[in-house]
Amino acid sequence: MQKLVFFVGVAGTGKTTVARKLAERMQAAFLDRDTVGGRFVEKILEMNGLDVNDRDSDFYKKHLRDLEYDTTKDICIENLAAGQNVFMISPFTAELKNKAWIEEVLAAAGKSKQDVDVKVVVVALKDMETQKERIIDRQTERDTWKLEHWDDFKHRVQFVPEINWDIPESSVYVFDNSGELTEEKAENVYRFVAGE
């Protein structure tokens, strides 16, 4: 059965790392929202005299946030329609709350839940200091705002996002990515996604 897997969670939890590990065993279109829209967003922010790394500004939220997510969604739809498995990597907080969103994605691809197995892997960390260390270690400019406003940022973090999609509870897996991503941990994620 075709797979559509969302790797969600806040910054620094290791969503992309976990998805990459799974991609070693399962072929899929790999759609990280930061990669899909990052260059365009940075250019538009720069053209408007704004910090190219700030994804928390009112301007970003009003003009660019949905543009990034909708573009990623469109690429997902094309890949689903072509029969590909798809991994979607980003927080997807607003999309997960919107009950109709996943139905619209599947319908636009000419698919249904009978054709596509939709799964959500919530990548989480119990320890906020580990999360901060990982954000520092990945050394990306877009994390500057988060680190400079850490006390504010960490209080807005939800451990598990609100998921209003019409999918079974068994299709949501909260994965604690604390510590090393061992083969055993990766195997647990694989079994969840593969349905084993």
Side-chain angles (χ1 to χ4, degrees), residues 4-34:
L4 172 54
V5 187
F6 292 81
F7 294 85
V8 304
V10 296
T13 54
K15 299 180 294 294
T16 302
T17 302
V18 173
R20 279 189 188 135
K21 190 70 175 171
L22 188 60
E24 293 174 7
R25 296 184 60 182
M26 181 179 289
Q27 289 187 340
F30 194 92
L31 304 181
D32 187 322
R33 189 256 322 160
D34 284 333

PDB file of all heavy atoms in Angstrom, residues 4-34:
ATOM      1  N   LEU A   4       1.978   7.681   2.974  1.00  0.00           N
ATOM      2  CA  LEU A   4       2.150   9.120   3.133  1.00  0.00           C
ATOM      3  C   LEU A   4       2.461   9.328   4.609  1.00  0.00           C
ATOM      4  O   LEU A   4       1.599   9.152   5.468  1.00  0.00           O
ATOM      5  CB  LEU A   4       0.887   9.884   2.731  1.00  0.00           C
ATOM      6  CG  LEU A   4       0.871  11.385   3.024  1.00  0.00           C
ATOM      7  CD1 LEU A   4       2.076  12.104   2.423  1.00  0.00           C
ATOM      8  CD2 LEU A   4      -0.431  12.014   2.532  1.00  0.00           C
ATOM      9  N   VAL A   5       3.712   9.670   4.901  1.00  0.00           N
ATOM     10  CA  VAL A   5       4.178   9.726   6.285  1.00  0.00           C
ATOM     11  C   VAL A   5       4.608  11.148   6.623  1.00  0.00           C
ATOM     12  O   VAL A   5       5.437  11.735   5.925  1.00  0.00           O
ATOM     13  CB  VAL A   5       5.354   8.756   6.522  1.00  0.00           C
ATOM     14  CG1 VAL A   5       5.713   8.715   8.004  1.00  0.00           C
ATOM     15  CG2 VAL A   5       5.023   7.355   6.010  1.00  0.00           C
ATOM     16  N   PHE A   6       4.051  11.683   7.693  1.00  0.00           N
ATOM     17  CA  PHE A   6       4.389  13.008   8.173  1.00  0.00           C
ATOM     18  C   PHE A   6       5.322  12.873   9.376  1.00  0.00           C
ATOM     19  O   PHE A   6       4.989  12.176  10.342  1.00  0.00           O
ATOM     20  CB  PHE A   6       3.129  13.766   8.575  1.00  0.00           C
ATOM     21  CG  PHE A   6       2.251  14.117   7.410  1.00  0.00           C
ATOM     22  CD1 PHE A   6       1.380  13.178   6.879  1.00  0.00           C
ATOM     23  CD2 PHE A   6       2.323  15.371   6.823  1.00  0.00           C
ATOM     24  CE1 PHE A   6       0.586  13.479   5.777  1.00  0.00           C
ATOM     25  CE2 PHE A   6       1.530  15.692   5.728  1.00  0.00           C
ATOM     26  CZ  PHE A   6       0.666  14.741   5.198  1.00  0.00           C
ATOM     27  N   PHE A   7       6.475  13.516   9.297  1.00  0.00           N
ATOM     28  CA  PHE A   7       7.412  13.575  10.410  1.00  0.00           C
ATOM     29  C   PHE A   7       7.278  14.979  10.990  1.00  0.00           C
ATOM     30  O   PHE A   7       7.717  15.952  10.383  1.00  0.00           O
ATOM     31  CB  PHE A   7       8.837  13.304   9.927  1.00  0.00           C
ATOM     32  CG  PHE A   7       9.030  11.907   9.415  1.00  0.00           C
ATOM     33  CD1 PHE A   7       8.711  11.592   8.099  1.00  0.00           C
ATOM     34  CD2 PHE A   7       9.500  10.903  10.250  1.00  0.00           C
ATOM     35  CE1 PHE A   7       8.865  10.300   7.613  1.00  0.00           C
ATOM     36  CE2 PHE A   7       9.661   9.605   9.769  1.00  0.00           C
ATOM     37  CZ  PHE A   7       9.346   9.299   8.448  1.00  0.00           C
ATOM     38  N   VAL A   8       6.614  15.070  12.139  1.00  0.00           N
ATOM     39  CA  VAL A   8       6.275  16.370  12.695  1.00  0.00           C
ATOM     40  C   VAL A   8       6.927  16.531  14.068  1.00  0.00           C
ATOM     41  O   VAL A   8       7.380  15.566  14.677  1.00  0.00           O
ATOM     42  CB  VAL A   8       4.743  16.556  12.788  1.00  0.00           C
ATOM     43  CG1 VAL A   8       4.087  16.359  11.433  1.00  0.00           C
ATOM     44  CG2 VAL A   8       4.121  15.619  13.823  1.00  0.00           C
ATOM     45  N   GLY A   9       6.945  17.773  14.526  1.00  0.00           N
ATOM     46  CA  GLY A   9       7.553  18.078  15.814  1.00  0.00           C
ATOM     47  C   GLY A   9       8.220  19.430  15.722  1.00  0.00           C
ATOM     48  O   GLY A   9       8.354  19.999  14.643  1.00  0.00           O
ATOM     49  N   VAL A  10       8.642  19.932  16.851  1.00  0.00           N
ATOM     50  CA  VAL A  10       9.240  21.262  16.889  1.00  0.00           C
ATOM     51  C   VAL A  10      10.700  21.204  16.459  1.00  0.00           C
ATOM     52  O   VAL A  10      11.274  20.125  16.294  1.00  0.00           O
ATOM     53  CB  VAL A  10       9.097  21.888  18.295  1.00  0.00           C
ATOM     54  CG1 VAL A  10       7.630  22.099  18.639  1.00  0.00           C
ATOM     55  CG2 VAL A  10       9.777  21.028  19.340  1.00  0.00           C
ATOM     56  N   ALA A  11      11.293  22.381  16.289  1.00  0.00           N
ATOM     57  CA  ALA A  11      12.679  22.478  15.830  1.00  0.00           C
ATOM     58  C   ALA A  11      13.626  21.754  16.776  1.00  0.00           C
ATOM     59  O   ALA A  11      13.478  21.823  17.998  1.00  0.00           O
ATOM     60  CB  ALA A  11      13.078  23.947  15.737  1.00  0.00           C
ATOM     61  N   GLY A  12      14.583  21.044  16.190  1.00  0.00           N
ATOM     62  CA  GLY A  12      15.634  20.424  16.979  1.00  0.00           C
ATOM     63  C   GLY A  12      15.325  19.047  17.514  1.00  0.00           C
ATOM     64  O   GLY A  12      16.145  18.441  18.200  1.00  0.00           O
ATOM     65  N   THR A  13      14.151  18.517  17.222  1.00  0.00           N
ATOM     66  CA  THR A  13      13.824  17.180  17.727  1.00  0.00           C
ATOM     67  C   THR A  13      14.417  16.075  16.860  1.00  0.00           C
ATOM     68  O   THR A  13      14.539  14.934  17.306  1.00  0.00           O
ATOM     69  CB  THR A  13      12.296  16.985  17.810  1.00  0.00           C
ATOM     70  OG1 THR A  13      11.718  17.269  16.532  1.00  0.00           O
ATOM     71  CG2 THR A  13      11.683  17.891  18.867  1.00  0.00           C
ATOM     72  N   GLY A  14      14.780  16.402  15.627  1.00  0.00           N
ATOM     73  CA  GLY A  14      15.397  15.403  14.757  1.00  0.00           C
ATOM     74  C   GLY A  14      14.460  14.806  13.724  1.00  0.00           C
ATOM     75  O   GLY A  14      14.657  13.677  13.278  1.00  0.00           O
ATOM     76  N   LYS A  15      13.456  15.568  13.308  1.00  0.00           N
ATOM     77  CA  LYS A  15      12.496  15.067  12.310  1.00  0.00           C
ATOM     78  C   LYS A  15      13.192  14.588  11.044  1.00  0.00           C
ATOM     79  O   LYS A  15      12.934  13.486  10.557  1.00  0.00           O
ATOM     80  CB  LYS A  15      11.496  16.175  11.923  1.00  0.00           C
ATOM     81  CG  LYS A  15      10.653  16.706  13.032  1.00  0.00           C
ATOM     82  CD  LYS A  15       9.704  17.788  12.559  1.00  0.00           C
ATOM     83  CE  LYS A  15      10.362  19.059  12.091  1.00  0.00           C
ATOM     84  NZ  LYS A  15      11.054  19.790  13.173  1.00  0.00           N
ATOM     85  N   THR A  16      14.063  15.428  10.505  1.00  0.00           N
ATOM     86  CA  THR A  16      14.739  15.099   9.245  1.00  0.00           C
ATOM     87  C   THR A  16      15.661  13.908   9.422  1.00  0.00           C
ATOM     88  O   THR A  16      15.724  13.023   8.561  1.00  0.00           O
ATOM     89  CB  THR A  16      15.521  16.324   8.726  1.00  0.00           C
ATOM     90  OG1 THR A  16      14.601  17.410   8.563  1.00  0.00           O
ATOM     91  CG2 THR A  16      16.191  16.028   7.393  1.00  0.00           C
ATOM     92  N   THR A  17      16.365  13.846  10.536  1.00  0.00           N
ATOM     93  CA  THR A  17      17.279  12.725  10.806  1.00  0.00           C
ATOM     94  C   THR A  17      16.516  11.407  10.859  1.00  0.00           C
ATOM     95  O   THR A  17      16.947  10.408  10.266  1.00  0.00           O
ATOM     96  CB  THR A  17      18.026  12.965  12.135  1.00  0.00           C
ATOM     97  OG1 THR A  17      18.742  14.194  12.040  1.00  0.00           O
ATOM     98  CG2 THR A  17      18.984  11.833  12.439  1.00  0.00           C
ATOM     99  N   VAL A  18      15.390  11.403  11.546  1.00  0.00           N
ATOM    100  CA  VAL A  18      14.582  10.174  11.654  1.00  0.00           C
ATOM    101  C   VAL A  18      14.036   9.785  10.277  1.00  0.00           C
ATOM    102  O   VAL A  18      14.079   8.611   9.889  1.00  0.00           O
ATOM    103  CB  VAL A  18      13.446  10.359  12.681  1.00  0.00           C
ATOM    104  CG1 VAL A  18      12.496   9.165  12.667  1.00  0.00           C
ATOM    105  CG2 VAL A  18      14.022  10.573  14.078  1.00  0.00           C
ATOM    106  N   ALA A  19      13.546  10.772   9.529  1.00  0.00           N
ATOM    107  CA  ALA A  19      13.006  10.487   8.190  1.00  0.00           C
ATOM    108  C   ALA A  19      14.099   9.948   7.266  1.00  0.00           C
ATOM    109  O   ALA A  19      13.865   9.013   6.493  1.00  0.00           O
ATOM    110  CB  ALA A  19      12.380  11.745   7.597  1.00  0.00           C
ATOM    111  N   ARG A  20      15.290  10.520   7.337  1.00  0.00           N
ATOM    112  CA  ARG A  20      16.404  10.037   6.498  1.00  0.00           C
ATOM    113  C   ARG A  20      16.758   8.593   6.843  1.00  0.00           C
ATOM    114  O   ARG A  20      17.064   7.797   5.961  1.00  0.00           O
ATOM    115  CB  ARG A  20      17.639  10.920   6.702  1.00  0.00           C
ATOM    116  CG  ARG A  20      17.602  12.187   5.906  1.00  0.00           C
ATOM    117  CD  ARG A  20      18.937  12.913   5.968  1.00  0.00           C
ATOM    118  NE  ARG A  20      18.820  14.216   5.344  1.00  0.00           N
ATOM    119  CZ  ARG A  20      19.289  15.341   5.842  1.00  0.00           C
ATOM    120  NH1 ARG A  20      19.926  15.335   6.990  1.00  0.00           N
ATOM    121  NH2 ARG A  20      19.141  16.470   5.196  1.00  0.00           N
ATOM    122  N   LYS A  21      16.754   8.285   8.122  1.00  0.00           N
ATOM    123  CA  LYS A  21      17.066   6.918   8.550  1.00  0.00           C
ATOM    124  C   LYS A  21      16.047   5.944   7.963  1.00  0.00           C
ATOM    125  O   LYS A  21      16.413   4.866   7.485  1.00  0.00           O
ATOM    126  CB  LYS A  21      17.071   6.850  10.080  1.00  0.00           C
ATOM    127  CG  LYS A  21      17.604   5.565  10.643  1.00  0.00           C
ATOM    128  CD  LYS A  21      19.089   5.439  10.422  1.00  0.00           C
ATOM    129  CE  LYS A  21      19.652   4.206  11.082  1.00  0.00           C
ATOM    130  NZ  LYS A  21      21.053   3.961  10.705  1.00  0.00           N
ATOM    131  N   LEU A  22      14.789   6.329   7.986  1.00  0.00           N
ATOM    132  CA  LEU A  22      13.747   5.459   7.427  1.00  0.00           C
ATOM    133  C   LEU A  22      13.876   5.363   5.908  1.00  0.00           C
ATOM    134  O   LEU A  22      13.626   4.301   5.327  1.00  0.00           O
ATOM    135  CB  LEU A  22      12.367   5.988   7.810  1.00  0.00           C
ATOM    136  CG  LEU A  22      11.187   5.084   7.454  1.00  0.00           C
ATOM    137  CD1 LEU A  22      11.306   3.738   8.150  1.00  0.00           C
ATOM    138  CD2 LEU A  22       9.876   5.737   7.817  1.00  0.00           C
ATOM    139  N   ALA A  23      14.290   6.449   5.272  1.00  0.00           N
ATOM    140  CA  ALA A  23      14.440   6.462   3.808  1.00  0.00           C
ATOM    141  C   ALA A  23      15.523   5.497   3.326  1.00  0.00           C
ATOM    142  O   ALA A  23      15.545   5.121   2.156  1.00  0.00           O
ATOM    143  CB  ALA A  23      14.737   7.882   3.325  1.00  0.00           C
ATOM    144  N   GLU A  24      16.411   5.082   4.221  1.00  0.00           N
ATOM    145  CA  GLU A  24      17.417   4.075   3.863  1.00  0.00           C
ATOM    146  C   GLU A  24      16.761   2.730   3.571  1.00  0.00           C
ATOM    147  O   GLU A  24      17.317   1.909   2.855  1.00  0.00           O
ATOM    148  CB  GLU A  24      18.439   3.905   5.001  1.00  0.00           C
ATOM    149  CG  GLU A  24      19.315   5.112   5.230  1.00  0.00           C
ATOM    150  CD  GLU A  24      20.202   4.960   6.464  1.00  0.00           C
ATOM    151  OE1 GLU A  24      20.223   3.856   7.059  1.00  0.00           O
ATOM    152  OE2 GLU A  24      20.862   5.950   6.836  1.00  0.00           O
ATOM    153  N   ARG A  25      15.576   2.521   4.122  1.00  0.00           N
ATOM    154  CA  ARG A  25      14.888   1.233   3.971  1.00  0.00           C
ATOM    155  C   ARG A  25      13.621   1.288   3.134  1.00  0.00           C
ATOM    156  O   ARG A  25      13.108   0.256   2.714  1.00  0.00           O
ATOM    157  CB  ARG A  25      14.534   0.685   5.351  1.00  0.00           C
ATOM    158  CG  ARG A  25      15.762   0.385   6.179  1.00  0.00           C
ATOM    159  CD  ARG A  25      15.426  -0.233   7.493  1.00  0.00           C
ATOM    160  NE  ARG A  25      14.722  -1.498   7.387  1.00  0.00           N
ATOM    161  CZ  ARG A  25      14.292  -2.191   8.423  1.00  0.00           C
ATOM    162  NH1 ARG A  25      14.495  -1.748   9.639  1.00  0.00           N
ATOM    163  NH2 ARG A  25      13.656  -3.324   8.257  1.00  0.00           N
ATOM    164  N   MET A  26      13.080   2.491   2.932  1.00  0.00           N
ATOM    165  CA  MET A  26      11.803   2.619   2.215  1.00  0.00           C
ATOM    166  C   MET A  26      11.913   3.758   1.213  1.00  0.00           C
ATOM    167  O   MET A  26      12.185   4.891   1.590  1.00  0.00           O
ATOM    168  CB  MET A  26      10.688   2.898   3.232  1.00  0.00           C
ATOM    169  CG  MET A  26       9.316   3.038   2.629  1.00  0.00           C
ATOM    170  SD  MET A  26       8.051   3.344   3.906  1.00  0.00           S
ATOM    171  CE  MET A  26       7.975   1.743   4.711  1.00  0.00           C
ATOM    172  N   GLN A  27      11.706   3.473  -0.042  1.00  0.00           N
ATOM    173  CA  GLN A  27      11.776   4.515  -1.063  1.00  0.00           C
ATOM    174  C   GLN A  27      10.588   5.465  -0.926  1.00  0.00           C
ATOM    175  O   GLN A  27       9.455   5.025  -0.745  1.00  0.00           O
ATOM    176  CB  GLN A  27      11.782   3.906  -2.460  1.00  0.00           C
ATOM    177  CG  GLN A  27      13.073   3.201  -2.796  1.00  0.00           C
ATOM    178  CD  GLN A  27      13.107   2.763  -4.246  1.00  0.00           C
ATOM    179  OE1 GLN A  27      12.084   2.645  -4.895  1.00  0.00           O
ATOM    180  NE2 GLN A  27      14.305   2.532  -4.749  1.00  0.00           N
ATOM    181  N   ALA A  28      10.896   6.758  -1.019  1.00  0.00           N
ATOM    182  CA  ALA A  28       9.832   7.764  -0.900  1.00  0.00           C
ATOM    183  C   ALA A  28      10.336   9.090  -1.435  1.00  0.00           C
ATOM    184  O   ALA A  28      11.534   9.380  -1.371  1.00  0.00           O
ATOM    185  CB  ALA A  28       9.414   7.928   0.563  1.00  0.00           C
ATOM    186  N   ALA A  29       9.422   9.899  -1.946  1.00  0.00           N
ATOM    187  CA  ALA A  29       9.739  11.300  -2.221  1.00  0.00           C
ATOM    188  C   ALA A  29       9.953  11.954  -0.867  1.00  0.00           C
ATOM    189  O   ALA A  29       9.134  11.804   0.046  1.00  0.00           O
ATOM    190  CB  ALA A  29       8.590  11.961  -2.966  1.00  0.00           C
ATOM    191  N   PHE A  30      11.071  12.669  -0.713  1.00  0.00           N
ATOM    192  CA  PHE A  30      11.495  13.214   0.574  1.00  0.00           C
ATOM    193  C   PHE A  30      11.289  14.724   0.544  1.00  0.00           C
ATOM    194  O   PHE A  30      12.068  15.445  -0.079  1.00  0.00           O
ATOM    195  CB  PHE A  30      12.978  12.868   0.776  1.00  0.00           C
ATOM    196  CG  PHE A  30      13.483  13.052   2.169  1.00  0.00           C
ATOM    197  CD1 PHE A  30      13.465  12.002   3.072  1.00  0.00           C
ATOM    198  CD2 PHE A  30      14.005  14.269   2.568  1.00  0.00           C
ATOM    199  CE1 PHE A  30      13.966  12.164   4.359  1.00  0.00           C
ATOM    200  CE2 PHE A  30      14.496  14.450   3.848  1.00  0.00           C
ATOM    201  CZ  PHE A  30      14.480  13.395   4.746  1.00  0.00           C
ATOM    202  N   LEU A  31      10.217  15.205   1.183  1.00  0.00           N
ATOM    203  CA  LEU A  31       9.833  16.610   1.075  1.00  0.00           C
ATOM    204  C   LEU A  31       9.961  17.325   2.409  1.00  0.00           C
ATOM    205  O   LEU A  31       9.053  17.291   3.248  1.00  0.00           O
ATOM    206  CB  LEU A  31       8.402  16.734   0.545  1.00  0.00           C
ATOM    207  CG  LEU A  31       8.117  16.042  -0.788  1.00  0.00           C
ATOM    208  CD1 LEU A  31       6.670  16.267  -1.199  1.00  0.00           C
ATOM    209  CD2 LEU A  31       9.065  16.533  -1.869  1.00  0.00           C
ATOM    210  N   ASP A  32      11.106  17.962   2.595  1.00  0.00           N
ATOM    211  CA  ASP A  32      11.338  18.778   3.776  1.00  0.00           C
ATOM    212  C   ASP A  32      10.930  20.209   3.422  1.00  0.00           C
ATOM    213  O   ASP A  32      11.485  20.820   2.518  1.00  0.00           O
ATOM    214  CB  ASP A  32      12.821  18.713   4.153  1.00  0.00           C
ATOM    215  CG  ASP A  32      13.117  19.409   5.470  1.00  0.00           C
ATOM    216  OD1 ASP A  32      12.514  20.473   5.738  1.00  0.00           O
ATOM    217  OD2 ASP A  32      13.964  18.905   6.226  1.00  0.00           O
ATOM    218  N   ARG A  33       9.964  20.750   4.114  1.00  0.00           N
ATOM    219  CA  ARG A  33       9.425  22.077   3.800  1.00  0.00           C
ATOM    220  C   ARG A  33      10.505  23.150   3.798  1.00  0.00           C
ATOM    221  O   ARG A  33      10.484  24.070   2.988  1.00  0.00           O
ATOM    222  CB  ARG A  33       8.304  22.407   4.787  1.00  0.00           C
ATOM    223  CG  ARG A  33       7.510  23.653   4.464  1.00  0.00           C
ATOM    224  CD  ARG A  33       7.842  24.840   5.325  1.00  0.00           C
ATOM    225  NE  ARG A  33       8.090  24.477   6.700  1.00  0.00           N
ATOM    226  CZ  ARG A  33       8.753  25.240   7.568  1.00  0.00           C
ATOM    227  NH1 ARG A  33       9.221  26.399   7.208  1.00  0.00           N
ATOM    228  NH2 ARG A  33       8.952  24.853   8.807  1.00  0.00           N
ATOM    229  N   ASP A  34      11.488  23.038   4.674  1.00  0.00           N
ATOM    230  CA  ASP A  34      12.582  24.014   4.688  1.00  0.00           C
ATOM    231  C   ASP A  34      13.358  23.996   3.377  1.00  0.00           C
ATOM    232  O   ASP A  34      13.777  25.041   2.881  1.00  0.00           O
ATOM    233  CB  ASP A  34      13.552  23.725   5.841  1.00  0.00           C
ATOM    234  CG  ASP A  34      12.997  24.153   7.192  1.00  0.00           C
ATOM    235  OD1 ASP A  34      12.177  25.084   7.228  1.00  0.00           O
ATOM    236  OD2 ASP A  34      13.392  23.558   8.206  1.00  0.00           O
TER     237      ASP A  34
END
